[in-house]
């Protein structure tokens, strides 16, 4: 079980590789930090040669997913993952149920029961598979749609893991 979801896709672009990379370069504001900032460009990040590492320029939710990929001979691959800053924040949220158990053990005068452990595990599972997974799917889909528009992607297929 992976703590944070990732996705891999292959795609085929319409037209020349150099034209698509040039469009991506023009629509990307250079940034090595991959943080949100108001800009008129579609993406923020790095585009070098035939590789890219970008985030969507939407304030707040655009930085949630990082798109890393490369294009070779009209074919390409893109790897989508959660940005490192968001992984740290989400890891803290995943620790809250266990901190609740520890505080229950230390400060409660009531008898500790195993039900607290079961509830904490269920809370972690719910945070991971409900909140994080849904947010990842929604924001990665939005970023991939924007990338498809910029690169004129003809066919986008998810690689089965």
């Amino acid at each position: 079980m992976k703590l944070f979801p990732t996705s891999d896709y292959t795609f085929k672009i319409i037209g020349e590789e150099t034209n698509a990379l040039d469009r991506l370069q023009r629509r990307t504001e250079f940034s090595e930090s991959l943080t949100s900032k108001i800009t008129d460009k579609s993406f923020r990040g790095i585009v070098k040669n035939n590789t890219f590492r970008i985030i969507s320029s939407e304030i707040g939710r655009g930085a949630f997913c990082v798109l890393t990929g490369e294009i070779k001979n009209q074919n390409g691959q893109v790897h989508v993952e959660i940005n490192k800053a968001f992984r740290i924040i989400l890891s803290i949220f995943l620790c809250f149920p266990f901190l609740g158990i520890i505080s229950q053990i230390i400060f409660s005068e009531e008898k500790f029961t195993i039900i607290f452990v079961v509830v904490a595990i269920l809370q972690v599972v719910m945070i991971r598979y409900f909140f994080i997974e849904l947010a990842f799917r929604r924001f990665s889909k939005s970023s991939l749609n924007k990338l498809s528009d910029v690169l004129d992607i003809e066919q986008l297929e998810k690689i089965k893991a």
Side-chain angles (χ1 to χ4, degrees):
M1 176 185 101
K2 291 191 286 186
L3 190 57
F4 298 108
T6 62
S7 296
D8 291 304
Y9 295 87
T10 59
F11 60 87
K12 183 174 175 87
I13 59 173
I14 300 171
E16 291 294 317
E17 169 188 342
T18 54
N19 293 339
L21 286 168
D22 186 48
R23 273 193 310 276
L24 184 61
Q25 180 76 38
R26 284 192 319 257
R27 303 272 306 265
T28 302
E29 180 180 298
F30 180 78
S31 170
E32 290 186 11
S33 64
L34 298 179
T35 56
S36 291
K37 181 180 171 187
I38 296 175
T39 180
D40 60 339
K41 309 269 182 159
S42 298
F43 297 103
R44 295 195 74 218
I46 301 168
V47 179
K48 287 186 181 176
N49 301 328
N50 62 339
T51 63
F52 57 89
R53 182 169 172 79
I54 56 177
I55 62 168
S56 176
S57 64
E58 295 177 54
I59 295 296
R61 57 186 171 175
F64 190 77
C65 292
V66 177
L67 306 173
T68 307
E70 83 178 301
I71 302 172
K72 289 185 181 178
N73 302 328
Q74 294 183 323
N75 294 316
Q77 280 192 313
V78 64
H79 176 74
V80 185
E81 63 185 349
I82 297 176
N83 199 339
K84 187 175 184 178
F86 284 97
R87 286 194 307 244
I88 292 169
I89 292 169
L90 293 171
S91 296
I92 293 169
F93 283 134
L94 287 170
C95 291
F96 283 159
F98 297 113
L99 293 174
I101 288 177
I102 292 170
S103 67
Q104 181 73 22
I105 292 170
I106 294 173
F107 298 113
S108 178
E109 296 176 3
E110 298 175 15
K111 183 179 174 188
F112 180 78
T113 61
I114 195 71
I115 196 81
F116 293 132
V117 175
V118 173
V119 168
I121 291 171
L122 289 174
Q123 286 175 343
V124 168
V125 168
M126 191 171 102
I127 291 169
R128 164 55 179 95
Y129 288 103
F130 186 70
F131 295 114
I132 295 175
E133 186 74 28
L134 287 178
F136 178 75
R137 286 185 185 191
R138 181 175 178 211
F139 298 145
S140 67
K141 185 177 181 181
S142 172
S143 295
L144 285 169
N145 287 339
K146 195 180 278 193
L147 182 68
S148 294
D149 183 45
V150 170
L151 291 179
D152 283 339
I153 293 178
E154 176 182 5
Q155 179 180 0
L156 181 69
E157 292 182 7
K158 186 172 183 174
I159 299 173
K160 306 287 185 203

